[in-house]
């Protein structure tokens, strides 16, 4: 049996630990877990956080639209984000690579083939692909999804065994429990229509996602026969705990 392939999507709130800055400690925590699991799992990462990384270094003056400023911040922050990944992962004996994609890449047969072939070569040579949206040419995830949809499309194209979405909650909570301010996690279900009825439309404080975009991602993954787990990425060891059944999370299973 070969290794199981996990597409790990890391949201901005996870990477910053709900602060204004990228957390090196959180990136080290993710790398440490991957190093422990690498004999049985192979990882492809879809990472947000480029804009947050840039905000640590610059404050842009502008007269244009906000989306253009965010694109500029992403261009500044992306190399800083990759540097932090590279430095922390290298200390753990892990090698990283950068893959910038846009939605048009998933609509063209040649592009899809090139993405799949390139990432398969990287993974086969123990080099972890870190995917982000090419924000200088594409704006969809900046505006709407915090890379959730990108992660689902990548999971489908790359035939992942599991889409693991790290966010800042213990999965998806029931609407009634949120109204009572006593959150209760929906642990497992396959009916996405039912799940949609439970979510609010609120977006997270630093990211652009929220649960709506995560459910949309899970819908794409489910059609590709891939389970989606929505886990709290803030605690240390969250990947290993989820895989060992020790994390309180939402598992969106295959019908």
């Amino acid at each position: 049996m070969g290794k199981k392939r996990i597409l790990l999507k890391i949201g901005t709130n996870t990477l910053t630990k709900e602060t204004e800055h990228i957390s090196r400690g959180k990136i080290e925590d993710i790398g440490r877990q991957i190093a422990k699991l690498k004999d049985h799992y192979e990882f492809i990462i879809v990472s947000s956080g480029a804009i947050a990384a840039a905000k640590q270094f610059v404050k842009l003056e502008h007269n244009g639209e906000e989306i253009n400023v965010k694109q500029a911040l992403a261009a500044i922050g992306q190399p800083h984000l990759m540097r932090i990944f590279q430095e922390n992962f290298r200390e753990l004996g892990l090698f990283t690579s950068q893959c910038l994609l846009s939605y048009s890449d998933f609509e063209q047969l040649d592009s899809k083939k090139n993405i799949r072939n390139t990432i398969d070569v990287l993974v086969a040579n123990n080099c972890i692909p870190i995917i982000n949206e090419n924000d200088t040419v594409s704006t969809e995830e900046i505006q709407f999804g915090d890379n959730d949809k990108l992660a689902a499309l990548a999971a489908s194209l790359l035939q992942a065994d599991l889409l693991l979405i790290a966010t800042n909650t213990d999965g998806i909570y029931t609407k009634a429990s949120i109204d009572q301010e006593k959150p209760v996690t929906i642990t497992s279900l396959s009916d996405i229509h039912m799940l949609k009825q439970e979510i609010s439309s609120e977006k997270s404080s630093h990211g652009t996602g929220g649960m709506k975009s995560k459910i949309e991602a899970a819908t794409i993954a489910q059609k590709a026969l891939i389970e989606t787990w929505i886990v709290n990425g803030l605690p240390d060891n969250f990947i290993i705990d989820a895989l060992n059944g020790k994390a309180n999370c939402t598992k969106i299973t295959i019908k």
Side-chain angles (χ1 to χ4, degrees):
M1 294 291 290
K3 296 180 183 180
K4 288 191 174 181
R5 175 171 288 187
I6 295 178
L7 195 298
L8 172 64
K9 186 268 172 172
I10 314 167
T12 303
N13 272 306
T14 297
L15 281 179
T16 61
K17 297 190 75 170
E18 298 188 303
T19 68
E20 296 295 329
H21 304 295
I22 299 295
S23 168
R24 285 179 173 269
K26 175 48 61 180
I27 290 180
E28 182 181 351
D29 169 55
I30 292 165
R32 179 180 49 77
Q33 294 177 79
I34 290 173
K36 286 184 177 180
L37 293 165
K38 66 181 181 180
D39 289 341
H40 301 287
Y41 297 91
E42 57 189 30
F43 284 84
I44 298 164
I45 295 174
V46 171
S47 176
S48 302
I51 292 173
K55 288 180 177 178
Q56 296 177 219
F57 300 99
V58 297
K59 182 176 176 65
L60 295 185
E61 300 293 333
H62 68 96
N63 295 316
E65 295 185 26
E66 183 183 5
I67 189 65
N68 302 126
V69 177
K70 288 183 176 180
Q71 286 179 287
L73 286 169
I76 294 167
Q78 183 64 26
H80 289 292
L81 180 63
M82 287 304 303
R83 175 176 52 80
I84 298 169
F85 268 108
Q86 183 184 45
E87 290 172 353
N88 283 275
F89 276 39
R90 185 175 57 202
E91 291 180 2
L92 296 161
L94 302 173
F95 297 97
T96 59
S97 58
Q98 174 180 264
C99 301
L100 296 178
L101 304 177
S102 61
Y103 283 91
S104 61
D105 295 326
F106 291 92
E107 297 169 355
Q108 301 172 30
L109 189 60
D110 286 346
S111 295
K112 288 168 66 176
K113 181 179 178 182
N114 291 338
I115 292 167
R116 185 169 54 245
N117 290 344
T118 300
I119 290 181
D120 282 345
V121 169
L122 290 169
V123 172
N125 286 275
N126 299 312
C127 192
I128 299 167
I130 301 178
I131 299 169
N132 200 346
E133 186 187 27
N134 189 353
D135 290 323
T136 56
V137 298
S138 181
T139 63
E140 185 166 347
E141 291 291 15
I142 285 181
Q143 292 177 295
F144 303 114
D146 201 35
N147 281 333
D148 294 324
K149 182 180 176 183
L150 185 70
L153 290 171
S156 176
L157 177 62
L158 301 169
Q159 298 179 308
D161 295 291
L162 174 65
L163 172 58
L164 188 64
I165 299 179
T167 185
N168 61 338
T169 64
D170 294 338
I172 300 174
Y173 302 135
T174 65
K175 186 179 289 185
S177 70
I178 293 175
D179 292 341
Q180 296 168 7
E181 298 183 353
K182 295 180 180 178
V184 175
T185 299
I186 300 169
T187 55
S188 179
L189 83 171
S190 62
D191 189 338
I192 291 180
H193 177 71
M194 184 181 298
L195 197 58
K196 287 179 179 178
Q197 297 175 341
E198 294 287 345
I199 65 166
S200 71
S201 59
E202 294 180 5
K203 292 186 177 180
S204 53
S205 55
H206 295 284
T208 57
M211 286 305 162
K212 183 179 179 181
S213 69
K214 289 167 180 54
I215 290 176
E216 290 171 354
T219 302
I220 294 170
Q222 191 182 68
K223 288 178 181 177
L225 303 180
I226 301 168
E227 279 198 14
T228 300
W229 295 5
I230 301 173
V231 305
N232 193 332
L234 298 178
D236 287 348
N237 226 43
F238 70 94
I239 303 170
I240 292 174
D241 285 348
L243 292 173
N244 289 335
K246 296 180 180 179
N248 195 19
C249 64
T250 297
K251 297 181 180 180
I252 303 169
T253 58
I254 306 306
K255 290 184 177 180

